[in-house]
Amino acid sequence: MYNPYLGVKLRQNEAALEYEEQIVWTEKVEGYDYVRQSLDRSSSTRRRPVAWTGAGRRVGYAVLKPNAPSGDMPGRFIRRVFWVKEHDRSEQPNGTYKSTAPSEAVDPRTVAPGVWGELTERAWGGPLVSE
């Protein structure tokens, strides 16, 4: 997916989504305009919660099908993780991202197993300008 607002090619690994079975939200994200979407390439499990040691807090993760193959390393699986930082709009509505969004932001309403989340006007915090 190309994000014209940030001018960067977003890295998407279609194979990582092919074996997704479910998205588990660990918090109620209905009120979130956006969450951050990342790939964890070193998960040692297909189904249990993805360990989160990054900045911010994990609010969701993808569960893989039982037959999902290992990723780049044997016994390690590529899984999506959804998270927020302390200065994101959900935490500070009038803060840094009042009318923009971080590069990994996606509208949680567009997230589904096997489907990359999308940047929407709601997630961006205003109208999206087309190229």
Side-chain angles (χ1 to χ4, degrees), residues 39-51 61-62 64 69-71 73-81:
L39 287 179
D40 179 86
R41 298 182 172 278
S42 61
S43 181
S44 61
T45 176
R46 292 176 179 99
R47 304 185 69 75
R48 289 191 311 266
V50 175
Y61 58 90
L64 302 179
S70 293
M73 298 184 303
R76 299 294 178 180
F77 304 93
I78 300 172
R79 296 175 63 190
R80 277 193 296 171
V81 181

Side-chain angles (χ1 to χ4, degrees), residues 9-20:
K9 175 92 172 163
L10 297 178
R11 293 173 46 198
Q12 297 184 338
N13 183 342
E14 294 300 326
L17 275 62
E18 182 178 346
Y19 290 94
E20 285 186 347

